[in-house]
Amino acid sequence: TACFLAYLYSQCERYEDAIAMAKQLLTFDKAEESDFRDEVYCMLADANYFNGDITEAIAWQDNILKESKNKELIIHTKRVQNQWKSEQ
C-alpha cells in the first residue's frame, strides 16, 4: 500500500520521497479517518525531522495536537515536540 511505501522510503533514508508519498496519502478518502490521518502526520513529522527540517516537522506535529483524538499520541507528541524545539 501507499503507507507501506512511505515507510519504506523513510527506512531507506529517502525522506523527500517519503514526504511526497505521505502528502499524497492526505488526498485519499481514507484521510477523513482520524487514525489514518494521525499516522500520516506522524510520518510527515518524522521524515521532515530526519531530513533536517525541524520547523516543518513541528508544524506537522501541531496538526496532531489540533486534530488527534488519541490521548496517548497527543502526550507523546507534546514530549517529542518539546525535545525538537530545544534542538532548534
Side-chain angles (χ1 to χ4, degrees):
T1 68
C3 278
F4 177 75
L5 186 54
Y7 277 122
L8 186 59
Y9 282 141
S10 284
Q11 292 300 310
C12 295
E13 297 181 7
R14 292 179 53 184
Y15 301 117
E16 290 180 18
D17 292 327
I19 291 165
M21 180 59 64
K23 285 181 178 179
Q24 272 191 306
L25 292 170
L26 292 175
T27 67
F28 292 4
D29 290 339
K30 191 167 176 80
E32 296 297 318
E33 298 173 18
S34 181
D35 290 343
F36 181 81
R37 209 171 40 251
D38 285 350
E39 184 176 358
V40 175
Y41 289 161
C42 288
M43 281 191 273
L44 284 161
D46 290 346
N48 276 284
Y49 175 81
F50 290 114
N51 201 37
D53 192 345
I54 296 175
T55 301
E56 185 69 12
I58 289 170
W60 286 107
Q61 287 179 323
D62 285 339
N63 287 331
I64 294 167
L65 297 176
K66 288 176 195 168
E67 299 176 26
S68 182
K69 296 175 177 124
N70 182 327
K71 291 178 185 176
E72 290 179 20
L73 177 60
I74 291 169
I75 291 167
H76 172 76
T77 300
K78 285 179 181 179
R79 187 174 54 247
V80 172
Q81 190 178 70
N82 286 332
Q83 178 186 343
W84 288 0
K85 284 181 178 180
S86 72
E87 294 177 22
Q88 286 186 305

